[in-house]
Amino acid sequence: MLTNAEIMQTVDMLDHQKLDIRTITMGISLRDCADPDPKRCAEKIYDKICRQAEHLVPTGCAIEAELGIPIVNKRISVTPIALVAESCRCNSYVPFAIAMDKAAAQCGVNFIGGFSALIHKGMTHGDEILLNSIPEALAVTNAVCSSVNVATTRAGINMNAVRRMGQIIKEAAALTADRDGLGCAKLVVFANAVEDNPFMAGAFHGVGEPECEINVGVSGPGVVHHALQAVKGKPFDEVAETIKRTAFRITRIGQLVAQEAARRLGVPYGIVDLSLAPTPAVGDSVARILEEMGLETCGTHGTTAALALLNDAVKKGGVMASGHVGGLSGAFIPVSEDEGMIAAARCGTLTLDKLEAMTCVCSVGLDMIAVPGDTSAETISAIIADEAAIGMVNNKTTAVRIIPAPGKVVGDEVEFGGLLGSAPIMPVHQPSAADFIARGGRIPAPLHSLRN
């Protein structure tokens, strides 16, 4: 039974420390929507999404009102469209993205993920069509998000896919140049992508998931930051324990919302993703948590160690609170979505190289990073390859969401608004990696992948 003190702690987290449920995401299988007729396939996709998610937003709003727990986003993830559309006789999958977008608007969600392909070992004809369709699909839709998995620990890195993704990112930026390359903010390149991630832009409903389910992503950087203020100057053992206890309370709230939403919607409860997902709002920053541990500015020496402690403690606290922890679960470091990261990047302390080092110990990877618009496709591919190598060797999920902002140079900034925030243009290394990327082929899986 909860004590009065615990109840008041939770109320304080909600009222004053920016605790919220970042997203309720409904995963929907579209495997039964495959049809040789592209028009009929698109109609099936639209109809099924609308049918399954019809009550998602009203249910989320009702739970929010009754429990007093802010639920910021209601979202949908679907089966990777490359799998669903492959039986169609067509040369573009853009109509399926449009069907997804119309369904998202009808259901009232802010994002829908799953315009995706899994190509870590090679590409089918349908995968190639989807990849070619990504730039236009992201340019002509509002809510559709895309992701591509190019590497796994078991398969290695598909360098042909890595090379192509650099080109696709440049094409997506060009088609949304009037919006600072916004299309790229809705595109994630993964290594070791997970099937139950509720967060965008990388969410998709994996083939091992049920017909429909509810996954919830919680968030509480402000709560953790506030908790650490009580242990100023204390040893790291106490810091870790404080974060674990805080993550436990945050996760319990997420599980309560997930179970209630699943019950009301009549679908299974999937997982709680306990990632600390920041926002551009002051007081909701992962960078400020790291600085609270004693760093003058996020990105200075010691940042990677501090982030490793934070990520580990969050996971340990979360798994004690719920038997259904999944997704990515840890700490996100999206530059444009974290006011502390933005400040550190502006002053030059937080660099692309330092962010890459931090991705070795955090939940995802190089996220929402804006680079000069003239950055070559080969350089972007090389950045993806580096990040995929970290994920492959360390048997963890890594990702790249990078925006080569058209017409922008170092010293400029891009403004996306809302949760996507704003970001200074960060420099990239000028020496070329073009010959490296041109080799193609596959970087073999590491020896420790052979576990059978």
Side-chain angles (χ1 to χ4, degrees):
M1 180 179 293
L2 293 174
T3 67
N4 287 338
E6 289 172 325
I7 293 171
M8 293 310 298
Q9 280 181 333
T10 302
V11 171
D12 190 49
M13 288 192 297
L14 295 168
D15 287 348
H16 303 296
Q17 299 169 30
K18 297 187 181 296
L19 175 62
D20 58 54
I21 301 300
R22 186 53 48 84
T23 180
I24 293 179
T25 300
M26 175 177 279
I28 302 172
S29 172
L30 299 182
R31 287 156 62 181
D32 58 350
C33 295
D35 195 293
D37 181 352
K39 183 178 179 181
R40 182 64 185 137
C41 184
E43 290 173 350
K44 287 182 177 180
I45 288 171
Y46 174 84
D47 290 343
K48 185 166 187 182
I49 293 171
C50 290
R51 184 172 67 252
Q52 293 280 15
E54 178 183 6
H55 302 295
L56 175 63
V57 171
T59 298
C61 293
I63 294 172
E64 182 177 16
E66 292 174 27
L67 301 183
I69 300 172
I71 300 173
V72 179
N73 300 295
K74 294 83 178 175
R75 297 168 171 171
I76 297 168
S77 65
V78 299
T79 307
I81 291 297
L83 303 178
V84 180
E86 194 160 32
S87 63
C88 294
R89 296 184 294 269
C90 60
N91 296 318
S92 172
Y93 291 167
V94 172
F96 306 122
I98 293 172
M100 291 168 62
D101 202 48
K102 290 180 177 178
Q106 178 63 30
C107 296
V109 299
N110 68 322
F111 283 122
I112 181 167
F115 197 75
S116 306
L118 310 176
I119 54 174
H120 38 274
K121 203 170 182 180
M123 285 183 269
T124 67
H125 181 60
D127 292 327
E128 292 177 354
I129 295 174
L130 184 126
L131 262 60
N132 294 337
S133 302
I134 286 174
E136 182 182 354
L138 297 180
V140 301
T141 60
N142 295 314
V144 172
C145 293
S146 179
S147 59
V148 178
N149 193 63
V150 299
T152 68
T153 298
R154 295 300 299 267
I157 306 174
N158 182 349
M159 290 299 293
N160 294 324
V162 168
R163 178 175 57 200
R164 183 71 184 106
M165 289 312 300
Q167 299 164 354
I168 288 169
I169 289 169
K170 289 286 289 184
E171 292 167 17
L175 289 181
T176 54
D178 58 329
R179 290 162 281 171
D180 286 336
L182 178 63
C184 300
K186 300 187 292 176
L187 173 59
V188 181
V189 185
F190 275 119
N192 290 320
V194 298
E195 297 190 332
D196 55 5
N197 169 24
F199 286 102
M200 298 297 170
F204 63 87
H205 189 67
V207 295
E209 300 298 307
E211 180 72 12
C212 184
E213 68 181 344
I214 289 293
N215 298 318
V216 165
V218 299
S219 182
V223 180
V224 175
H225 182 250
H226 183 270
L228 290 185
Q229 293 174 4
V231 291
K232 284 185 181 292
K234 300 292 185 180
F236 283 114
D237 314 74
E238 294 188 40
V239 172
E241 287 299 315
T242 299
I243 295 171
K244 282 165 58 179
R245 290 194 298 270
T246 305
F248 179 91
R249 294 198 298 270
I250 293 171
T251 306
R252 295 294 280 184
I253 294 172
Q255 180 171 259
L256 170 65
V257 170
Q259 291 175 329
E260 186 62 16
R263 183 187 66 81
R264 296 188 186 193
L265 291 166
V267 301
Y269 151 47
I271 57 93
V272 174
D273 186 320
L274 49 95
S275 297
L276 295 181
T279 72
V282 174
D284 203 23
S285 164
V286 169
R288 300 306 184 195
I289 297 173
L290 306 180
E291 291 169 358
E292 185 62 35
M293 293 186 198
L295 304 173
E296 183 176 349
T297 304
C298 177
T300 193
H301 304 298
T303 299
T304 305
L307 183 59
L309 183 153
L310 173 64
N311 206 59
D312 180 68
V314 166
K315 290 178 186 291
K316 288 175 177 174
V319 297
M320 289 296 293
S322 174
H324 290 77
V325 170
L328 300 167
S329 289
F332 290 171
I333 52 171
V335 174
S336 79
E337 298 175 5
D338 185 310
E339 63 86 15
M341 297 282 179
I342 295 169
R346 281 174 178 159
C347 73
T349 304
L350 188 64
T351 65
L352 195 58
D353 288 342
K354 186 61 179 182
L355 281 164
E356 185 179 297
M358 292 165 68
T359 65
C360 296
V361 299
C362 78
S363 288
V364 193
L366 298 172
D367 197 12
M368 286 302 291
I369 294 169
V371 297
D374 63 357
T375 303
S376 69
E378 292 82 6
T379 295
I380 293 171
S381 293
I383 292 170
I384 294 169
D386 283 344
E387 200 58 36
I390 291 172
M392 176 186 70
V393 171
N394 291 287
N395 197 28
K396 68 184 293 292
T397 303
T398 54
V400 173
R401 187 162 47 146
I402 190 168
I403 302 103
K408 302 289 185 178
V409 298
V410 175
D412 292 339
E413 294 205 6
V414 291
E415 177 65 52
F416 298 118
L419 287 177
L420 296 177
S422 61
I425 303 298
M426 301 181 73
V428 299
H429 294 299
Q430 293 306 308
S432 174
D435 289 345
F436 174 77
I437 295 301
R439 288 178 178 269
R442 183 152 54 96
I443 292 179
L447 181 61
H448 60 256
S449 69
L450 301 176
R451 294 186 175 185
N452 288 344

